Amino acid sequence: MNSYRIKNRDDYDRHYRRGREDAKNFWAEIAENFEWMERWEKTQSGSLTNVDVKWFEGAKLNITVNCLDRHLKTRGEKTALIHEPSDPNGAVARYTYRELHHSVCKAAHMLQAIGVQKGDRVCLSMGMVPELLITMLACARIGAIHSVALAGLESKSLADRISDAGCTVLVTGDGAFQGDKIIPLKDIADEALKNCPSVKKVIVHRRGNCHVSMEEGRDLWWHEIFDGMPQEFDPRGMEAEDPLFILYTSGSTGRPKGILHTCAGYMVWTAYTFDNIFQMQRDDIYWCAIDIGWITGHSYMVYGPLLNGASLVMYEGALEYPDRGRLWEVVDKYRVTHLYGAPAIVRAVMAHGAEATKKYDLRTLKVMGSVRNPIAQKAWLWYCENVDKEKCRILDTWWQTETGAAMLVSFTSITEQQHTFEGRPLPGVYPVLLDERGKTVTGNNVSGNFCIERAWPGMARSIYGDHRRFEQTYFKPYPGHYFTGDNYYRNELGLFKIKGRADDIINVAGNRLGTIELENIINQSEWVVESAVVGFPHEDKGQGIYVYIVAKGVEEEEKLVDQIKATLEEQIGIFARPDKVQLVSALPKTRSGKITHRILRAIAEGNPGSLGDMSALLNPNVVEEIRKAVISS
Ligand code: PRX
């Protein structure tokens, strides 16, 4: 067990206090648990005010040494990775820590052989296969920066990500399984690469047995290079603040943001939080049922578990394929003890819990972790009543791509828990609620914009290629603080509960969509004069999408509504399909002509009583008109 494991409530209080009052020694002691090529000179420097935070400056390390090499002596033959294929009858792949180490070294040689060097950006667009995890670690071994793009992105989105990061290499697959379909990864890549001159080489991993075309001189088959490579590769010594990876997330303008994480701070933070949240024992089996292409997959499927020497399950396919019992079948098959996923998992237990518990042996489960969306009250209460919560705890965790790993957690065994609250801050996380003017909201049972007032090791360091945007988005709203963009409620126990996004991002089932991005697409229709998009609470998806449109010259309104829905789905993805589209005669605006999303959001949320001050509106009459139309619809 690591020396940084929090064992009980007193321990938590002590860690929490030390993380604030004696932060440098606190983090230095935690960092002693890792292997460094050179020790750090300064534990932390820089500030949130200057947006130049650094951790463990002067240190040299390679994160893969800490994920793999350092475990070889004590757990070389322990299972590191079990890969469950999409096809329930397909072949399972297993890797011990030693085998995974060999594979990562071989992949590092493979990348080096095609010219990848320290600092190069490598885009990974693959299905959920072991080779995706292996390639990420191979990049880290060399010192190249990985940028994982979700399998299934449209070719234009893939091209945008590749170009923004200036990737020189793309590692992809022939196809990726998604339920009974195959995503044609290579075809999508070929289309994207028409607009990405920076990419010189493409490695294609064969998985789907799809027919693909290979471009002479550019495209290479994975197996033709990987198989003959040596099993040892000297890890590159990385500076603490060298970039480890870029991960794209939507922003409030059309352009996605390449969130940048660096080597040392991310390693320490991810390992520390993973260990304390999940509190795994040596023989436990962990399964993160979320795609690697999200931050959750990076931190809590790859780096966090491996840094702690855990055994992890990686599942290739769709959770309900070939049927709804698949989730439980996998838990049963590998005797999973710790399951981590979106709240849909808790809902799934509710939907077929009784049936599932009869058919599958779920007695091994100790922890059911959740992230990305609030757990609906109904599902949480059901769970508490129907599942042996003493044996299998629900654990909510709140965090963001930008925070690197979890910040709030409802860990029951250590501190009190209250259903629907995301919980307490981990040691090292010092949140404050601020009002619109930047004044701290004190007391209990209060709400405000959720900000963090101290630097923590795993925080993002920049937006790739656009540090100014990083400053503007997260640090300018409340100088000296990191602004999460979320609005939060805090109760008398000091537990936090999310109220929604404070800015203009909608989170649909874990997909963050900029409202401006959606409006830009809608406004391209020749029938649309202008539009406004807002989010509203949605029982299943966390938030749904509500679109208001001012249209001109439309003969069949229904056709336009269908067209708007289809366009968003086509251009962004199924999750961007709006739940409601309402045609209105005008949009409420301020005198300076700015659309007041705040009012439209209140109407969409069904809270017309909280429309607030309308004195600054150019056209207050229109609000009443829209509201009436909603009520009568
Ligand atoms: O709004 C919060 C929501 O997801 C946002 C972050 O999204 P992303 O960067 O994609 O990372 C998601 C997974 C780490 C947050 O600003 N969110 C995250 N966790 C929770 C949540 N909302 C409610 N409950 C959570 N547990």
Side-chain angles (χ1 to χ4, degrees), residues 247-250 259 290 294-297 300 340 343 370-375 395-406 408 420-422 450 482 484-488 497-502 505-507 510-512 543:
L247 187 58
Y248 283 87
T249 173
S250 317
I259 301 298
I290 291 185
W294 302 101
I295 188 68
T296 316
Y300 287 166
Y340 190 51
S370 171
V371 63
R372 282 168 79 177
N373 285 307
I375 304 176
L395 189 113
D396 200 357
T397 56
W398 174 93
W399 51 299
Q400 304 180 300
T401 308
E402 296 84 347
T403 67
L408 296 178
T420 75
F421 281 71
E422 282 78 51
F450 190 53
Y482 167 80
T484 63
D486 283 348
N487 195 272
Y488 251 93
K497 177 178 163 69
I498 195 164
K499 288 186 70 183
R501 295 290 296 176
I505 289 178
I506 307 178
N507 192 325
N511 299 284
R512 287 164 77 181
Q543 278 191 295

